[in-house]
Structures are given as C-alpha cells and as structure tokens.
Amino acid sequence: MAMTKPRKHDEPVQEPEARRLRRELFDDEMLDKLMAATDERGLSLTGEGGFLPEMIKAVLERGMQAELTDHLGYEKGDPGGHGSGNSRNGTTPKNLGTEVGDIGLDQPRDRNSTFASALVPKGARRLGGLEDMIISLYAGGMTIRDIQHHLAATLGTELSHETISNVTDAVAEEVTAWQTRPLEAFYPVIYLDALVVKIRDGAHVANRAAHIAVGVDMDGVKHVLGIWVQAAEGAKFWASVCAELANRGVKDVLIVCCDGLTGFPEAIEATWTQAMVQTCVVHLIRASMRFVSYTDRKAVAAMLRPIYTAANEDAALMALTTFADSNLGKKYPAAVASWENAWERFTPFLAFGPALRKVIYTTNSIESLNYQLRKIIKNRGHFPSDTAAIKLLWLAIRTIEDKRARERAKEAGTPRGTPRKAPGKLVEGSVIQGWKAALGELALIYPDRINTYL
C-alpha cells in the first residue's frame, strides 16, 4: 500500500485532479439544473432508465470511437482513408454491467477485425468497479444469491449466479499465493485460535473448526500466517499444518500459545523439537467456569486467580489444592479437573516474568479478529467447501484491515493533541504492547536460540 506524506494542519487541502476537471466542465449550477430536470421528468439517477447510465454510455461510446480513429489513422468521413486497407464497419451491441446499472453499448468495429478497445476490452461484461463491489459484498458475508438480489434492487444490474461466482473465484489465486507465501525463519511467539464454520459434506452440513495462526516476529509485529479448516483427525491434521509452515521457511518457534488441541502439541514438538506449547490461560479459565453457576462465578473466579498469578509452580499447586479442598471446589469438581488435566501445558507459563506472561497469557490477538469474522459468517449459512470458507475468511480479513487503513488515512495530518477516532490495525501489522520487555526476557531464557536473530 502506497504511503502518503502527512499534511501539516496549516497547509491547504489539495483538490483531486478529477474533481477540479469536473468543476471546470460542469459547475455546481449546471449540476443543480440536472438534478432538477431529472426530478421533474420522474427519472432516477441510477438503475434501468436512469440518467447516469446514459451519461456513461455516451462517454464510453465517444471514447471507443476516438480509440478507433487512432487505430485507423483518420477521422470518420476523411477522404484520406480511402485505400488505407481498413475502415469502420458499424457497431456491435454489448451489455455492460456497472455500479450504476446495466448499460447497452454500441461498440464500434473495423472491417479487418483488428480493433481492440482498451476502454471496454473484448469479452468484458462488467466495469472494474462493479467487480470490486461484488467482492466487497461477498467479503461482508453475503451469499451469491444475496448479491444477485442486492445488485438488481439497488443498481438494476442483472448478473447470473455463474457470473458472480466467477468474480469471487478470481481471488482464488491471490488466496493460494498468500497461503503459500514464504515466512520468516523465526517467530518467538505464535498464537493459534479457531472459529466454527459450517461446511457441506455430501448431503449433510457439518461444523468444522477454521484455525487461524498469528506469528509475532522479532520486532513484535503480528502477521496472519495462514488459515486451515480441520477436516481430518487431530494428529494427522496438525502434522500437515506444521509441515506446511516448516516448508514455507519457519525454522524455529519459541512459544506456541493455543487452546487445548488434540494432537497439536505433539505435532509442534515433532516439527520444532525445542518449541514450547502453552495453554491459553484465558481459555483455561473459561473452560473451568463453564461448570459454575452464575451465583458462584465471582467467588470461583477469586479462588482461581491465585493459581495463574502465582510466583512459581509450587505456589500455583498450593492454590489449586486450596480450591479443590474448598466447599466450592467440592461443589464443582469438574472445574478443578479442567485445571488438573491441563496442568502440564499450563505450568510453563509460571516460569516467565511479568512482561512475557502478559504476552502469552491469552490468544486475544486472534480472538478480537475472530469476533469480527463471526459477525460476517453468522448469517452466511454453510459453505460448499473448505476452500470457499478459507476464501471468505481471507477476504474478510483483508477488507477489515483495508477499511481501517482508509479511516486512519482520513485522519492523517490531524493537529497534534486532537483526539483520533480511527481504529488501529486489527491484527496484521499491529505491534504487541510491551514487546521490548518481553523480548528482553526471552533473550535471557533462550540466549542460544534468539541471539542468532537479534
């Protein structure tokens, strides 16, 4: 994405060239007359029979005629064209979908069939802006049928199911390139979390987990490494994911923070023998609180806090024993068991200092992303395949980040001290807070592994 130089608050705002040209050719008074005239005649601006499609039709046809003149080398009716070996040969009707409605064009042609318009290429059925709109609507969670109805109702543009599907499928190569791109050789921390998507499997629709991995590089910058929909059994699936990451260049990982996933710790340790898998503490707290009634939640939470804030493993074990022997522990043995079962993957957390604990305490980096993604897919229904689910999730992430970037760009040059409302980066490119202190702790704990990359 191109970066623009921030504007100082006392500098005048430069008017876009396109707007300046519009003002030179069509002043505000002329536009007011246009709006009044369309209103008087009962015309709409967009859609079938609208004024803007007629304007675009006239501009495109004039533009194509100018292109044909350049191609032939002489103006229409110029006697100098006689004997040139090529000439105008009427027009061909062509229907073009646009953001303001369908347009019926008369596309000029030459006798030798050598003319090709750059303005409206051969085979084009839509202007680029409409394709961007379709992809944006798809990324927002609309189905192909929803997009069909939306375009017909708002723009008067009738597109087939196949056409819209082909537009959304056009990003498949981008998704593949992103999912297979080379990665950094070393990530100090990787977070992994999942959300549920519905995938059609034959005659049935099944719930599957779409796992998203976020890696933190040496500068504390977060990157979405990939998206995987789990179809196979745990151990086999995680072995393939780890092998894929290794094949894309990841040579070492210090800490992988995730929820308890069957087969995942073993796959991590088989791929990166010195990597440590850390259970997300927040997930562990939530898992244990599932068994607790609402009236006892605050009291149980207060008894759990000494476990995950303990200075070391011995102190944590003592706090867990205290909870287990208490009336609440006896009332909710399943809550106690959830900590006991995860103890081996929880205790590495206790060996770290405050700065590093704060970094690996939770997978919130992905949870905030997944929260946004769930809003998009909740009304989506099911997906026809794993690939379709990955495509939508990738598009949604890109759309969310692009939208936030545009909002931040609008506030570029805002006077210092003025409150800013634009949201920061959701995940991709954002920086871990307190990373410098955490990196310092990692350098002391893993000097041989981390100093190579400093």
Coordinates of all heavy atoms in Angstrom, one line a residue, residues 40-75:
E40 N -38.0 16.6 -12.3 CA -39.2 17.0 -12.9 C -39.8 15.9 -13.9 O -41.0 15.7 -14.0 CB -39.0 18.3 -13.7 CG -38.8 19.5 -12.9 CD -38.4 20.7 -13.7 OE1 -38.3 20.6 -14.9 OE2 -38.1 21.8 -13.1
R41 N -38.9 15.2 -14.5 CA -39.3 14.2 -15.5 C -39.5 12.8 -14.9 O -39.7 11.8 -15.6 CB -38.2 14.1 -16.6 CG -38.0 15.4 -17.4 CD -37.1 15.3 -18.6 NE -36.8 16.6 -19.2 CZ -36.3 16.7 -20.4 NH1 -36.0 15.7 -21.1 NH2 -36.0 17.9 -20.8
G42 N -39.3 12.7 -13.6 CA -39.5 11.5 -12.9 C -38.4 10.4 -13.2 O -38.7 9.2 -13.2
L43 N -37.2 10.9 -13.5 CA -36.1 10.0 -13.8 C -35.3 9.7 -12.6 O -35.1 10.6 -11.7 CB -35.2 10.6 -14.9 CG -35.8 10.8 -16.3 CD1 -34.8 11.5 -17.2 CD2 -36.2 9.5 -16.9
S44 N -34.7 8.5 -12.5 CA -33.8 8.2 -11.4 C -32.4 8.5 -11.9 O -32.1 8.6 -13.1 CB -33.9 6.8 -10.9 OG -33.6 5.9 -12.0
L45 N -31.4 8.6 -11.0 CA -30.1 8.8 -11.4 C -29.4 7.5 -11.8 O -28.6 7.4 -12.8 CB -29.2 9.4 -10.3 CG -29.5 10.9 -10.1 CD1 -28.7 11.4 -8.9 CD2 -29.1 11.7 -11.3
T46 N -29.7 6.4 -11.1 CA -29.1 5.1 -11.4 C -30.1 4.1 -11.7 O -31.3 4.3 -11.7 CB -28.3 4.6 -10.2 OG1 -29.2 4.5 -9.0 CG2 -27.2 5.6 -9.8
G47 N -29.7 2.9 -12.1 CA -30.6 1.8 -12.4 C -31.2 1.9 -13.8 O -30.8 2.8 -14.6
E48 N -32.1 1.0 -14.2 CA -32.6 1.0 -15.5 C -33.4 2.3 -15.8 O -34.2 2.7 -15.0 CB -33.6 -0.2 -15.6 CG -34.1 -0.4 -17.0 CD -35.0 -1.7 -17.1 OE1 -35.1 -2.4 -16.1 OE2 -35.6 -1.9 -18.2
G49 N -33.1 2.9 -17.0 CA -33.7 4.1 -17.4 C -33.2 5.3 -16.7 O -33.7 6.4 -16.8
G50 N -32.1 5.2 -15.9 CA -31.5 6.3 -15.1 C -30.6 7.2 -16.0 O -30.2 6.8 -17.1
F51 N -30.3 8.3 -15.4 CA -29.6 9.3 -16.2 C -28.1 9.0 -16.3 O -27.5 9.1 -17.3 CB -29.8 10.7 -15.6 CG -29.0 11.8 -16.4 CD1 -29.6 12.3 -17.5 CD2 -27.8 12.3 -15.9 CE1 -28.9 13.3 -18.2 CE2 -27.1 13.2 -16.6 CZ -27.6 13.8 -17.8
L52 N -27.5 8.5 -15.1 CA -26.1 8.3 -15.1 C -25.7 7.1 -16.1 O -24.7 7.2 -16.7 CB -25.6 7.9 -13.7 CG -25.6 9.1 -12.7 CD1 -25.1 8.7 -11.3 CD2 -24.6 10.2 -13.2
P53 N -26.5 6.0 -16.2 CA -26.1 5.0 -17.2 C -26.1 5.6 -18.6 O -25.2 5.3 -19.4 CB -27.2 4.0 -17.0 CG -27.7 4.1 -15.6 CD -27.6 5.5 -15.3
E54 N -27.0 6.6 -18.9 CA -27.0 7.2 -20.2 C -25.7 8.0 -20.4 O -25.1 8.1 -21.5 CB -28.2 8.0 -20.4 CG -29.5 7.3 -20.7 CD -29.4 6.5 -22.0 OE1 -28.8 7.0 -23.0 OE2 -29.8 5.3 -22.0
M55 N -25.3 8.8 -19.3 CA -24.1 9.6 -19.4 C -22.9 8.7 -19.6 O -22.0 9.0 -20.5 CB -23.9 10.4 -18.1 CG -24.8 11.6 -18.0 SD -24.2 12.9 -19.2 CE -22.6 13.3 -18.4
I56 N -22.8 7.6 -18.9 CA -21.6 6.7 -19.0 C -21.6 6.1 -20.4 O -20.6 5.9 -21.0 CB -21.7 5.6 -17.9 CG1 -21.5 6.3 -16.5 CG2 -20.6 4.6 -18.1 CD1 -21.6 5.3 -15.4
K57 N -22.8 5.7 -20.9 CA -22.9 5.1 -22.3 C -22.4 6.1 -23.3 O -21.6 5.7 -24.1 CB -24.4 4.8 -22.6 CG -24.7 4.5 -24.0 CD -26.2 4.2 -24.2 CE -26.6 4.1 -25.7 NZ -26.0 2.9 -26.3
A58 N -22.8 7.4 -23.2 CA -22.3 8.4 -24.1 C -20.8 8.6 -24.1 O -20.1 8.6 -25.1 CB -23.0 9.7 -23.9
V59 N -20.3 8.6 -22.8 CA -18.8 8.8 -22.7 C -18.0 7.6 -23.2 O -17.0 7.8 -23.9 CB -18.5 9.1 -21.2 CG1 -17.0 9.1 -20.9 CG2 -19.1 10.4 -20.7
L60 N -18.5 6.4 -22.9 CA -17.8 5.2 -23.3 C -17.8 5.1 -24.8 O -16.8 4.7 -25.5 CB -18.4 4.0 -22.7 CG -18.1 3.8 -21.1 CD1 -18.8 2.5 -20.6 CD2 -16.6 3.7 -20.8
E61 N -19.0 5.3 -25.4 CA -19.1 5.2 -26.9 C -18.2 6.3 -27.6 O -17.6 6.0 -28.6 CB -20.5 5.3 -27.3 CG -21.3 4.1 -26.9 CD -22.8 4.2 -27.3 OE1 -23.2 5.3 -27.7 OE2 -23.5 3.2 -27.2
R62 N -18.2 7.5 -27.1 CA -17.3 8.5 -27.6 C -15.9 8.1 -27.5 O -15.1 8.3 -28.4 CB -17.6 9.9 -27.0 CG -18.9 10.5 -27.2 CD -19.1 11.1 -28.6 NE -18.2 12.3 -28.7 CZ -18.2 13.0 -29.8 NH1 -18.9 12.7 -30.8 NH2 -17.4 14.1 -29.9
G63 N -15.5 7.6 -26.3 CA -14.2 7.2 -26.1 C -13.7 6.1 -27.0 O -12.6 6.1 -27.6
M64 N -14.6 5.1 -27.3 CA -14.3 4.0 -28.2 C -14.2 4.5 -29.6 O -13.3 4.0 -30.4 CB -15.3 2.9 -28.0 CG -15.2 2.1 -26.7 SD -16.3 0.6 -26.7 CE -17.9 1.4 -26.6
Q65 N -15.0 5.4 -30.0 CA -14.9 6.0 -31.3 C -13.5 6.7 -31.5 O -12.9 6.6 -32.6 CB -16.0 7.0 -31.6 CG -17.4 6.3 -31.8 CD -17.5 5.5 -33.1 OE1 -16.7 5.5 -33.9 NE2 -18.7 4.8 -33.2
A66 N -13.1 7.4 -30.5 CA -11.8 8.1 -30.5 C -10.7 7.0 -30.6 O -9.7 7.2 -31.4 CB -11.6 8.9 -29.3
E67 N -10.8 5.9 -29.9 CA -9.8 4.9 -30.0 C -9.8 4.3 -31.4 O -8.7 4.0 -31.9 CB -10.1 3.7 -29.0 CG -9.9 4.1 -27.5 CD -10.2 3.0 -26.6 OE1 -11.3 2.3 -26.8 OE2 -9.4 2.6 -25.7
L68 N -10.9 4.1 -32.0 CA -11.0 3.5 -33.4 C -10.3 4.5 -34.4 O -9.6 4.1 -35.3 CB -12.4 3.2 -33.7 CG -12.6 2.6 -35.1 CD1 -11.8 1.3 -35.3 CD2 -14.1 2.4 -35.4
T69 N -10.5 5.8 -34.2 CA -9.9 6.8 -35.0 C -8.4 6.7 -35.0 O -7.7 6.7 -36.0 CB -10.4 8.2 -34.7 OG1 -11.8 8.3 -34.9 CG2 -9.6 9.3 -35.5
D70 N -7.9 6.6 -33.7 CA -6.4 6.4 -33.6 C -5.9 5.1 -34.2 O -4.8 5.1 -34.8 CB -6.1 6.4 -32.1 CG -6.2 7.8 -31.4 OD1 -6.2 8.8 -32.2 OD2 -6.3 7.8 -30.2
H71 N -6.7 4.1 -34.1 CA -6.4 2.8 -34.7 C -6.3 2.8 -36.2 O -5.4 2.3 -36.8 CB -7.4 1.7 -34.2 CG -7.1 0.4 -34.8 ND1 -6.0 -0.4 -34.4 CD2 -7.8 -0.4 -35.8 CE1 -6.1 -1.6 -35.1 NE2 -7.1 -1.5 -35.9
L72 N -7.3 3.5 -36.8 CA -7.3 3.6 -38.3 C -6.4 4.6 -38.8 O -5.9 4.5 -40.0 CB -8.8 3.9 -38.7 CG -9.8 2.8 -38.4 CD1 -11.2 3.3 -38.8 CD2 -9.5 1.5 -39.1
G73 N -6.2 5.7 -38.1 CA -5.3 6.8 -38.5 C -6.0 7.9 -39.3 O -5.3 8.7 -39.9
Y74 N -7.3 7.9 -39.3 CA -8.0 9.0 -40.0 C -9.4 9.2 -39.4 O -10.0 8.2 -38.8 CB -8.2 8.7 -41.5 CG -9.0 7.5 -41.9 CD1 -10.3 7.6 -42.1 CD2 -8.3 6.3 -42.0 CE1 -11.1 6.5 -42.4 CE2 -9.1 5.1 -42.3 CZ -10.4 5.2 -42.5 OH -11.2 4.1 -42.9
E75 N -9.9 10.4 -39.4 CA -11.2 10.7 -38.9 C -12.3 10.1 -39.7 O -12.2 9.9 -40.9 CB -11.4 12.3 -38.8 CG -10.5 13.0 -37.9 CD -10.8 12.8 -36.4 OE1 -12.0 12.3 -36.2 OE2 -10.0 13.1 -35.6

